[in-house]
Amino acid sequence: MTKLTGALVADVARYFDSWLAFRQRYDRVPGIQAAVLYDEDLLLATAHGEADLETQTALTPRHLFRVASHSKTFTATAVLQLVEQGSLRLDDTAGQWLPFLADAPLGDISIRELLSHGGGVIRDGLDGDHWQLFRGFPDEERLRAIGTDGADILPANERFKYSNIGYSMLGMIIAAATDRSYNDYVREHVVDRLGLADTGPEYDPARATEYATGYSALAYTDRRIPIEQVDTAAMASATGFYGTASDLVRYVAAHFHGDERLLSDASKRKQQRTEWSIGVEGEYALGFDIEKVGDRRVLGHGGGWPGHSTNTRFDPVDRLAVSVLTNAIDGKAGLYGIGFMRLIELALKPTDEPAGATDVDLDRFCGRFANLWGVADVVRLGDRLYQLAPTGDDPAEQPMLLTVVDDTTLRMSGGEDVGFASPGESLRYTFGKDGVESVRGGNGTTGYPYDRFAAAAAERRDRVTLGDPLTP
């Protein structure tokens, strides 16, 4: 089997960047920011689209995003630090630390149950319209009222039940155990310890101009509406954090095996162990969700914020991380992040197909090509070429393996899953002084470099007719 190396991850990251650029336009997302880290090396820090549609401000890798439920991973990490120090025990109950819960049903729920969403706690209270900006997020007084007013929805340990209120209570427990605010503790003991200059536990109005403007969904309007940034009051430990993709991959790198800047390996094993299976959705540990991509166990978390959708994934064993941040409430950050991990699995997939001629530069064939029917990418991953469909939500689904026949021809091959494509047929390239002019293959249709074809399509105002095809 192909070994994961920095060079191979860099190949995947290079195509991933190109795929995100395509998806930003294809999915009509205002902007996408992303980063990839392998071992200790940041291999990709990129941004596509706009931070603000009204001012047409280009998005950069330094723009800040509200990463929302990523906050839970910081909170869980802080709790495990305090457990290591002997300041807390996972079996401590909420009522031991929060006297207002002493006689309430939530008082008997353990810290572990809160961390794993196993406490049966109400998700956001009986009135969660702070998520629509009807009013501000709950302050401590309101949070206490929520916690003592029918917040025990299910019996503890009956099932996984996600709860922002439960994680908000954990923030109050951290404050009680450290005799300082939650925000101050996590900033000093997590954020500053890792030198994350563009990460913080709560909206920072002093940096207001640095945030990517968040936008509404397209499900109910033809245009995206900008959404005001607000703070999260007493819910920072559940949803308050901001950051960049580059900072987030550096943060999760501290959860790689062997890295003890935040937690010992013993504590990381405890934090990353599966606590709940969540049907087809995956699993949940203590502050991290878990998904299998092939045989790879991938941890991380997403974040949904009014105007931002974000996701970070990492493999603590192979020391690999990806983070994708979007400034739309319906952005597909989770899909994009898992797409990167699936591309990694494709690059590592063994094949018995011969590579073909070995004296030809594989990169000369690579590019994005379009014709009337759609778009296809020819991509080099390591020492193999693939044809992929960038419009697919899984960029590695039904890949067509390509072998080199000569310096102008590739042969398409693959298993039964590409039977409706054109296995056995050729891709025949025409090259000019500036590179690829066209490529013909599959069903025999001709494709052209994407930018040229897209420009020609944008200019055409009449219809496509017989004898007057759409060509650049």
Side-chain angles (χ1 to χ4, degrees):
M1 182 174 180
T2 304
K3 185 178 184 298
L4 190 66
T5 64
L8 189 63
V9 176
D11 284 346
V12 174
R14 190 177 303 110
Y15 174 65
F16 181 61
D17 187 22
S18 172
W19 183 62
L20 290 179
F22 177 84
R23 293 306 297 233
Q24 183 266 319
R25 288 184 57 188
Y26 183 72
D27 293 331
R28 295 196 293 161
V29 182
I32 300 176
Q33 185 190 91
V36 170
L37 181 143
Y38 176 64
D39 199 7
E40 298 178 354
D41 297 325
L42 185 67
L43 298 181
L44 177 68
T46 191
H48 301 284
E50 294 178 324
D52 189 282
L53 297 175
E54 287 68 38
T55 62
Q56 297 184 317
T57 301
L59 185 67
T60 74
R62 291 296 303 275
H63 274 102
L64 307 178
F65 284 74
R66 303 302 294 279
V67 297
S69 287
H70 282 77
S71 307
K72 296 177 175 68
T73 73
F74 289 85
T75 298
T77 298
V79 168
L80 268 294
Q81 287 179 339
L82 295 172
V83 170
E84 281 189 355
Q85 297 166 19
S87 300
L88 289 175
R89 295 184 309 120
L90 290 177
D91 292 333
D92 286 350
T93 64
Q96 287 177 246
W97 289 99
L98 305 177
F100 71 91
L101 290 178
D103 297 323
L106 260 58
D108 293 330
I109 295 173
S110 71
I111 289 175
R112 180 189 294 276
E113 289 162 349
L114 291 174
L115 286 171
S116 65
H117 297 291
V121 182
I122 196 167
R123 182 182 172 111
D124 284 287
L126 298 175
D127 179 352
D129 277 333
H130 47 274
W131 284 108
Q132 299 197 77
L133 274 58
F134 284 18
R135 61 190 63 84
F137 277 69
D139 58 14
E140 285 200 11
E141 181 181 359
R142 178 65 186 141
L143 188 59
R144 291 189 188 99
I146 293 171
T148 54
D149 182 20
D152 53 321
I153 300 299
L154 297 175
N157 297 308
E158 179 176 281
R159 57 166 294 169
F160 175 86
K161 185 182 184 308
Y162 194 77
S163 174
N164 285 313
I165 297 302
Y167 261 81
S168 299
M169 297 294 175
L170 285 168
M172 297 177 74
I173 291 171
I174 289 170
T178 61
D179 198 26
R180 58 193 305 193
S181 73
Y182 167 82
N183 291 0
D184 285 348
Y185 180 85
V186 292
R187 182 175 291 282
E188 178 181 347
H189 292 275
V190 181
V191 175
D192 291 348
R193 189 176 294 185
L194 299 178
L196 304 178
D198 292 322
T199 298
E202 183 57 277
Y203 174 65
D204 184 354
R207 304 184 70 175
T209 60
E210 300 177 55
Y211 289 83
T213 301
Y215 289 92
S216 64
L218 290 177
Y220 40 77
T221 180
D222 290 336
R223 68 178 184 89
R224 294 191 182 274
I225 304 168
I227 302 174
E228 181 185 5
Q229 293 287 354
V230 299
D231 68 35
T232 61
M235 294 186 68
S237 53
T239 193
F241 265 79
Y242 68 85
T244 63
S246 296
D247 264 12
L248 286 170
V249 292
R250 292 187 181 103
Y251 160 65
V252 295
H255 293 83
F256 290 170
H257 294 180
D259 189 316
E260 300 199 349
R261 288 175 293 169
L262 296 180
L263 294 170
S264 68
D265 273 357
S267 290
K268 288 202 292 290
R269 286 193 295 271
K270 191 178 298 182
Q271 185 181 14
Q272 297 173 16
R273 184 176 62 206
T274 299
E275 295 281 331
W276 290 100
S277 293
I278 318 172
V280 297
E281 298 178 62
E283 301 170 342
Y284 204 88
L286 300 182
F288 287 119
D289 63 44
I290 304 161
E291 189 165 347
K292 291 294 289 291
V293 182
D295 293 328
R296 187 178 301 278
R297 187 174 186 264
V298 177
L299 293 92
H301 219 291
W305 180 255
H308 290 172
S309 174
T310 60
N311 199 276
T312 301
R313 299 281 128 193
F314 70 100
D315 178 344
V317 178
D318 275 352
R319 304 174 68 81
L320 177 67
V322 60
S323 183
V324 184
L325 316 181
T326 69
N327 58 335
I329 203 168
D330 58 353
K332 300 178 180 180
L335 181 151
Y336 303 146
I338 287 297
F340 170 80
M341 290 295 182
R342 288 178 174 146
L343 287 167
I344 288 287
E345 292 304 290
L346 174 61
L348 293 172
K349 185 177 180 180
T351 176
D352 294 330
E353 290 286 340
T358 58
D359 59 345
V360 179
D361 176 17
L362 300 183
D363 288 330
R364 77 193 310 264
F365 297 106
C366 295
R368 176 163 293 139
F369 305 103
N371 65 18
L372 184 65
W373 287 85
V375 184
D377 290 342
V378 175
V379 183
R380 178 180 63 80
L381 302 177
D383 61 355
R384 304 310 301 262
L385 290 173
Y386 293 90
Q387 186 181 66
L388 305 177
T391 54
D393 287 347
D394 176 359
E397 186 178 19
Q398 294 188 328
M400 179 70 78
L401 183 63
L402 305 172
T403 58
V404 179
V405 176
D406 55 39
D407 61 1
T408 62
T409 310
L410 303 175
R411 179 181 179 274
M412 294 181 280
S413 60
E416 295 179 356
D417 59 341
V418 295
F420 279 99
S422 304
E425 299 187 32
S426 296
L427 289 178
R428 299 180 299 280
Y429 283 71
T430 300
F431 291 91
K433 61 183 178 62
D434 296 323
V436 178
E437 292 285 344
S438 65
V439 56
R440 175 176 286 178
N443 60 357
T445 55
T446 302
Y448 302 89
Y450 176 84
D451 289 344
R452 286 174 45 208
F453 191 85
E459 291 174 359
R460 181 176 284 263
R461 293 293 180 265
D462 55 349
R463 68 177 59 192
V464 177
T465 61
L466 183 65
D468 183 20
L470 178 55
T471 58

